[in-house]
């Protein structure tokens, strides 16, 4: 999984958890995973991202209770209405829905030999991209990174 996709999924999970906390759920994140423990009175589940071929958020265990189905419907509603309209079709294609490239015109690319490049991440502002470039430069000193503005993203005001 690409780092940009990991960050997108983590942001989605965080958005779901914030909404569930506002509804009275107790939530905590499992370290280094796209998983959160969710509980409220007798209801206790793990919200987790199921990778390919499933590619969707799910609640474990799958016990088929009405409480689980209601909570799963609430999570899908949060993703649809409060977070950019992810649908079943857009969950299969990582660039649709919440993480729309037109909203993130600044790209951080890694320069490769033979005039090639690899897009590491996309950002809303130049400052975010430059901060990430500095961070990666410290952790991967042998690699060259460059911040680029993608003019094809549309007419956005940028920093």
């Amino acid at each position: 999984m690409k780092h940009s996709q990991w960050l997108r999924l983590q942001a989605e999970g965080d958005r779901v958890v914030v909404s569930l906390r506002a509804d009275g759920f107790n939530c905590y994140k499992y370290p280094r995973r796209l998983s959160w423990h969710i509980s409220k009175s007798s209801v206790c589940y793990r919200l987790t991202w199921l990778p390919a071929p499933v590619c969707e958020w799910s609640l474990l265990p799958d016990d088929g209770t009405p409480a689980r189905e209601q909570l799963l419907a609430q999570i899908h509603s949060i993703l649809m209405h409060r977070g950019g309209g992810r649908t079943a079709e857009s969950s299969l294609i990582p660039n649709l829905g919440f993480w729309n490239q037109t909203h993130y015109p600044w790209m951080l690319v890694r320069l490769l030999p033979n005039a090639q490049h690899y897009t590491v991440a996309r950002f809303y502002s130049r400052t975010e991209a430059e901060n990430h470039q500095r961070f990666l430069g410290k952790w991967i000193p042998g690699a060259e990174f460059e911040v680029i503005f993608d003019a094809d993203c549309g007419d956005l005001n940028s920093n």
Side-chain angles (χ1 to χ4, degrees):
M1 175 183 303
K2 288 185 178 180
H3 183 65
S4 58
Q5 185 179 12
W6 175 273
L7 292 175
R8 177 186 58 84
L9 292 171
Q10 173 131 3
E12 277 186 3
D14 289 340
R15 195 171 54 249
V16 168
V17 166
V18 165
S19 181
L20 291 177
R21 281 186 179 141
D23 291 340
F25 282 87
N26 295 321
C27 307
Y28 71 85
K29 184 168 183 348
Y30 290 101
R32 297 183 300 273
R33 296 185 184 120
L34 290 173
S35 296
W36 290 260
H37 178 81
I38 298 172
S39 62
K40 182 177 181 181
S41 61
S42 64
V43 176
C44 183
Y45 290 102
R46 175 188 274 192
L47 172 66
T48 189
W49 174 258
L50 299 177
V54 178
C55 292
E56 70 177 17
W57 289 102
S58 184
L59 289 174
L60 300 175
D62 187 0
D63 53 8
T65 62
R68 179 189 180 275
E69 297 305 318
Q70 182 181 9
L71 182 56
L72 195 57
Q74 183 178 358
I75 290 168
H76 288 298
S77 173
I78 292 166
L79 291 172
M80 286 290 296
H81 300 297
R82 298 180 195 167
R86 278 180 61 96
T87 62
E89 297 83 24
S90 67
S91 66
L92 299 175
I93 304 169
N95 290 336
L96 295 178
F98 164 71
W99 193 76
N100 188 344
Q101 290 185 3
T102 60
H103 300 300
Y104 299 90
W106 291 97
M107 299 185 334
L108 179 61
V109 297
R110 181 175 180 180
L111 302 177
L112 302 172
N114 298 330
Q116 296 177 339
H117 69 276
Y118 171 79
T119 302
V120 176
R122 298 183 73 98
F123 300 91
Y124 182 74
S125 72
R126 181 178 182 162
T127 306
E128 288 177 290
E130 289 173 341
N131 289 340
H132 203 76
Q133 178 186 19
R134 278 193 294 280
F135 173 79
L136 289 177
K138 290 179 182 177
W139 287 98
I140 311 173
E144 285 188 64
F145 296 97
E146 201 62 45
V147 175
I148 299 172
F149 182 78
D150 186 4
D152 295 333
C153 283
D155 299 319
L156 296 174
N157 294 332
S158 58
N159 298 8

